[in-house]
Amino acid sequence: MTGADNLKIFSDDPAREAFLNHPPGKLILRNSLPAVASMLFMACYHIADAVMVGRSLGPEALASVNILYPILAFFIGLAVMIGVGGNARVAVLQGAGKTIMARRVLGLVVTLGTILGVTGSVIVIFAYPVILDLLGTSGSLGVMAGEYLLTIYPFFTTMILIFVLEQTVRNDGRPNFATGVMMGMAGLNILLDYLFLFRLGMGIGGAALATGLSQTLGAFIFIAYFVYKALKQKAGLRFGIPGGGFITLKMVAFNGSSEFFTSVAAGVTTFLFNRTLLYYLGSDGVAAFAMVQYLMLIGSVVFLGLCTGSQPILSYNHGAGYHDRVKQTLVRLISISSLLGLVFFIILRTQSAAMIVLFIPEHPEAMKLTIEATAFISWTLLIMPISIISSMFFTALEKAGSSLLVAMSRGLVFTVIGLNIFPKYWAETGIWITPIFSEILTLLLVGILIYRWYTQPEISSVRQVVEPLPSIES
């Protein structure tokens, strides 16, 4: 490619110009703040959704949704896999100036997501009774779980596409638009929850319908955005004829495998924690652990928002061979997330009792256990940000093996080891220190992997592999 060709592609694509030329700190701020806002709003929406379901239908209704999680987590994991893996590939291609191929890969990922959604719906249609039997549901709990599943399955395809296309819009340099759509979708879901549950009395099926309709509208807005770009022949990302073949499919699946594993492992480790807590502490222990997870939720989604917003920055510059900018972005992300982790740690250590009262004011034993658990688990906030950022970092650079290793170790292996050793010696205290043990070992692993990446000859010895591309202003 000649310098003139490179300049033409560059000048015609504002997103690529920004990701490759603007200061990394400015890019992180511009792209991560909307993503963090979106994540925080979605977290608040999930809490509000649970409150309305619980208040209108009771705790059994909440349990009926939760009982479906093992099945839904598998499909969510697949959606995350193709969304994260596919968008990382698209952004790397964009960074390398291969816009036509990036559009074809986007078409392939959208097609794959559609096939996955339709397949999931067909499975529910033909295996509905088998699914409920496998989950062990019975009585009124089984009836409500079945009603929720039968209402939500027609929306599987659009629920997958909204996840895939939200990150694609961010890759296209439109983080505020992506955040606006997701916040509008969450607000609509809350409004429909109120209408269907409290005004129309539609039961648990109404909650499922509210989720399906709101996410479908969001998906259609994103689809319309890319269709409009295609019709107007606008620069940057838009739908292309699916291409890339089996090699690209394999790259997408492998690169997103860590996110798939993280989703599935979350269900497995939650089950293991609950089983251990029931043995040592009974239901109050499970309630305490659930409360700690709610208290940690805000910190977790902020770190994930930083990851979502920063992935295009890393992928574009990696694709362009700008290794110094990749390093600068990583250093800034680790610094920002570590500082935020310290802030959340201080808040949780000083305000946990006041926050717990909001959830369970009339259960003193559960409150006592929650405060005890928080005193231990809050320490993970000092370590967790680096692990989360590092897993995303390797995915953005298409270092799928490293990303998967971090996700497997943190999400399952170290947790299983801890739960099988520490409670035998320290009972419930051993349960609470298991997350700390897992995060410390993950931090050591991450340090080794980043050092190995950093000391590669092409990374450590080359300041800039190509001449910086000129900005449009120049």
Side-chain angles (χ1 to χ4, degrees):
M1 178 181 292
T2 67
D5 291 335
N6 193 35
L7 177 61
K8 183 178 186 301
I9 293 175
F10 185 61
S11 300
D12 285 346
D13 190 348
R16 186 166 183 258
E17 185 274 332
F19 285 128
L20 296 183
N21 268 348
H22 292 185
K26 177 181 177 182
L27 286 170
I28 291 172
L29 192 66
R30 178 178 181 271
N31 288 275
S32 291
L33 279 181
V36 168
S38 179
M39 289 283 189
L40 285 172
F41 198 86
M42 293 298 290
C44 293
Y45 140 68
H46 282 299
I47 293 172
D49 188 54
V51 167
M52 283 196 280
V53 170
R55 285 181 175 272
S56 63
L57 302 173
E60 199 169 35
L62 287 173
S64 70
V65 177
N66 195 54
I67 205 73
L68 293 171
Y69 180 74
I71 299 296
L72 296 178
F74 180 76
F75 283 101
I76 291 170
L78 288 173
V80 171
M81 180 179 70
I82 64 172
V84 172
N87 277 299
R89 177 92 285 254
V90 166
V92 168
L93 289 169
Q94 281 287 88
K98 301 177 181 178
T99 303
I100 301 301
M101 192 63 211
R103 293 169 182 168
R104 296 196 67 188
V105 171
L106 174 58
L108 180 67
V109 170
V110 169
T111 301
L112 189 61
T114 302
I115 292 172
L116 175 62
V118 172
T119 301
S121 298
V122 170
I123 290 174
V124 171
I125 292 172
F126 289 101
Y128 163 73
V130 177
I131 292 172
L132 294 183
D133 287 341
L134 288 173
L135 294 173
T137 59
S138 61
S140 58
L141 181 64
V143 171
M144 283 192 284
E147 182 182 350
Y148 190 93
L149 184 61
L150 286 177
T151 307
I152 200 72
Y153 85 82
F155 302 103
F156 280 178
T157 300
T158 48
M159 290 172 70
I160 290 171
L161 291 182
I162 191 173
F163 175 83
V164 172
L165 295 176
E166 178 203 1
Q167 186 59 28
T168 307
V169 171
R170 297 185 191 280
N171 280 346
D172 200 38
R174 299 292 302 278
N176 293 329
F177 174 59
T179 296
V181 172
M182 297 304 289
M183 291 176 67
M185 180 208 74
L188 177 62
N189 199 335
I190 293 172
L191 180 63
L192 291 178
D193 269 334
Y194 175 76
L195 176 64
F196 293 160
L197 293 173
F198 290 94
R199 293 298 183 184
L200 300 180
M202 296 174 63
I204 194 66
L209 185 61
T211 298
L213 288 175
S214 58
Q215 296 204 16
T216 296
L217 178 60
F220 282 166
I221 292 174
F222 286 144
I223 291 170
Y225 167 79
F226 286 110
V227 170
Y228 172 80
K229 288 193 68 177
L231 292 175
K232 296 294 184 178
Q233 293 292 295
K234 289 186 173 290
L237 286 173
R238 55 180 189 255
F239 294 139
I241 298 172
F246 179 74
I247 293 177
T248 299
L249 284 176
K250 187 167 65 173
M251 291 179 68
V252 167
F254 189 45
N255 203 39
S257 59
S258 62
E259 283 67 26
F260 170 72
F261 182 85
T262 298
S263 177
V264 174
V268 175
T269 54
T270 299
F271 169 76
L272 293 175
F273 267 108
N274 288 342
R275 187 183 66 176
T276 309
L277 286 164
L278 284 170
Y279 178 79
Y280 284 97
L281 296 170
S283 58
D284 279 349
V286 177
F289 186 64
M291 288 301 104
V292 175
Q293 288 180 310
Y294 274 116
L295 295 178
M296 300 277 287
L297 178 63
I298 300 299
S300 298
V301 299
V302 168
F303 305 142
L304 290 172
L306 279 172
C307 290
T308 300
S310 301
Q311 174 264 311
I313 307 170
L314 292 163
S315 295
Y316 268 78
N317 284 281
H318 172 68
Y322 287 11
H323 301 309
D324 270 2
R325 288 174 61 83
V326 173
K327 292 178 195 174
Q328 293 165 19
T329 304
L330 176 62
V331 169
R332 284 164 173 77
L333 284 173
I334 290 178
S335 300
I336 293 169
S337 62
S338 297
L339 180 61
L340 289 172
L342 176 61
V343 172
F344 290 131
F345 169 76
I346 293 171
I347 292 173
L348 206 54
R349 297 287 291 187
T350 58
Q351 303 298 320
S352 60
M355 290 187 286
I356 291 165
V357 169
L358 297 175
F359 287 94
I360 44 175
E362 299 177 0
H363 296 81
E365 286 302 317
M367 284 181 61
K368 180 181 176 182
L369 280 174
T370 306
I371 293 172
E372 176 188 337
T374 303
F376 285 96
I377 299 177
S378 60
W379 286 96
T380 62
L381 286 168
L382 300 177
I383 313 170
M384 177 198 308
I386 300 176
S387 301
I388 294 176
I389 292 293
S390 298
S391 180
M392 176 278 304
F393 170 76
F394 289 120
T395 296
L397 269 58
E398 298 190 303
K399 306 291 183 184
S402 296
S403 181
L404 180 59
L405 183 59
V406 172
M408 286 181 61
S409 301
R410 177 176 181 264
L412 188 63
V413 176
F414 295 151
T415 298
V416 171
I417 292 172
L419 286 176
N420 277 281
I421 295 177
F422 299 134
K424 294 178 181 177
Y425 296 98
W426 299 300
E428 64 268 21
T429 301
I431 302 174
W432 307 139
I433 66 175
T434 292
I436 305 174
F437 166 78
S438 177
E439 293 293 350
I440 290 174
L441 290 188
T442 303
L443 180 63
L444 295 174
L445 174 63
V446 162
I448 294 170
L449 292 173
I450 289 181
Y451 176 79
R452 286 177 56 189
W453 171 80
Y454 195 91
T455 54
Q456 293 177 55
E458 66 271 23
I459 304 298
S460 61
S461 62
V462 180
R463 307 305 296 172
Q464 193 80 34
V465 300
V466 293
E467 289 298 318
L469 296 173
S471 66
I472 291 175
E473 288 81 1
S474 65

